[in-house]
């Protein structure tokens, strides 16, 4: 069961903040949570670096595998529970209700009455670029390990794809809304495009 917490006063946090107002640009350009921004990238980048340099760092496959999995696990916890909430005001989690049903909850931070809690443009870019880029890199690693027949590394790269892909999916759901909302948005958009094309053809025929 899926539930989306979305209200009219929910703050809109765009992926790359291209639509930010000029009046708040100076405030949004500051990194207000430097520690969270650092650890948002530290664990995931470290896991990638260790994977690339594992043969130079250690001859033990087990040591490299454990190190990468620990870094990926720390990254999953930090991004899911800390950096998403601080940097972009989004969070997602799973809870079990009294009936024993599992609910996935996706929330966006509500703006204050004076809109004082404005998301930082720099922090938002750091968050989304790190969140999107690293899973793509792990997907590339997965295909590379598969086609080069490095079977022992498939479990490691699969773990990277699953953990970082889960956070990416969760935060996109927080940002974009539930599947029903996405479907209605797509249907509405296609309907408007069809109407515009129909009107344009009628105008051309009339002229």
């Amino acid at each position: 069961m899926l539930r989306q917490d979305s209200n009219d006063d929910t703050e809109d946090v765009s992926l790359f903040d291209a639509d930010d107002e000029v009046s708040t640009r100076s405030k949004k350009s500051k990194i207000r949570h430097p520690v969270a921004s650092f650890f948002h990238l530290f664990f995931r980048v470290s896991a990638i670096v260790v994977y690339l340099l594992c043969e130079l760092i250690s001859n033990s496959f087990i040591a490299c595998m454990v190190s990468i999995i620990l870094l990926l696990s720390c990254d999953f916890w930090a991004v899911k529970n800390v950096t998403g909430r601080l940097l972009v005001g989004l969070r997602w989690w799973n809870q079990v209700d009294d009936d024993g049903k599992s609910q996935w909850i996706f929330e966006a931070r509500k703006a204050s009455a004076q809109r004082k809690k404005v998301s930082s443009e720099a922090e938002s870019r750091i968050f989304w670029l790190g969140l999107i880029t690293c899973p793509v890199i792990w997907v590339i690693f997965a295909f590379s390990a598969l086609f080069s027949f490095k079977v022992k590394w498939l479990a490691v790269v699969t773990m990277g794809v699953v953990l970082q892909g889960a956070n990416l999916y969760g935060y996109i759901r927080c940002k974009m809304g539930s599947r029903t909302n996405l479907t209605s948005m797509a249907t509405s958009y296609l309907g408007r495009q069809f109407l515009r094309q129909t009107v344009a053809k009628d105008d051309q025929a009339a002229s």
Side-chain angles (χ1 to χ4, degrees):
M1 180 177 181
L2 303 175
R3 180 165 67 89
Q4 174 75 20
D5 184 8
S6 58
N7 296 313
D8 293 337
D9 57 350
T10 298
E11 181 179 355
D12 186 16
V13 185
S14 60
L15 294 183
F16 295 100
D17 293 307
D19 57 346
D20 289 339
E21 296 295 332
V22 177
S23 60
T24 60
R25 187 172 299 172
S26 59
K27 293 182 180 180
K28 294 186 178 185
S29 63
K30 298 179 180 178
I31 297 179
R32 295 180 296 175
H33 304 94
V35 177
S37 300
F38 171 77
F39 282 104
H40 177 71
L41 298 176
F42 174 76
F43 291 119
R44 53 185 49 216
V45 173
S46 297
I48 293 174
V49 171
V50 172
Y51 178 81
L52 292 173
L53 303 178
C54 59
E55 294 182 355
L56 300 177
I57 297 174
S58 174
N59 293 326
S60 174
F61 167 75
I62 299 300
C64 293
M65 181 183 67
V66 171
S67 299
I68 294 172
I69 292 178
L70 284 176
L71 289 170
L72 290 172
S73 300
C74 292
D75 169 75
F76 178 81
W77 183 89
V79 173
K80 179 178 179 295
N81 298 299
V82 180
T83 64
R85 177 174 54 86
L86 293 178
L87 300 183
V88 292
L90 303 174
R91 63 176 181 171
W92 65 276
W93 75 94
N94 176 267
Q95 72 177 18
V96 180
D97 57 19
D98 297 335
D99 298 331
K101 296 181 180 179
S102 179
Q103 293 185 355
W104 290 98
I105 302 174
F106 306 91
E107 290 185 340
R109 180 179 57 199
K110 299 177 182 178
S112 60
Q114 295 80 16
R115 295 190 64 83
K116 293 181 179 179
K117 296 182 179 180
V118 182
S119 298
S120 167
E121 178 180 336
E123 289 179 346
S124 181
R125 286 177 175 171
I126 290 173
F127 179 83
W128 287 108
L129 287 175
L131 192 73
I132 295 172
T133 303
C134 292
V136 173
I137 295 176
W138 282 108
V139 170
I140 295 174
F141 288 163
F143 282 106
S144 176
L146 181 63
F147 292 134
S148 60
F149 301 102
K150 295 181 179 179
V151 180
K152 65 180 182 180
W153 288 106
L154 282 177
V156 178
V157 296
T158 300
M159 183 70 68
V161 172
V162 170
L163 290 179
Q164 297 197 354
N167 265 327
L168 176 60
Y169 174 78
Y171 282 114
I172 289 178
R173 287 292 305 275
C174 291
K175 168 60 188 168
M176 301 301 294
S178 65
R179 184 176 302 176
T180 302
N181 292 335
L182 290 176
T183 303
S184 62
M185 289 170 58
T187 304
S188 177
Y189 174 79
L190 293 175
R192 290 196 302 268
Q193 293 298 320
F194 178 76
L195 180 61
R196 290 177 182 176
Q197 293 179 0
T198 303
V199 172
K201 290 180 180 179
D202 291 341
D203 292 340
Q204 292 178 358
S207 61

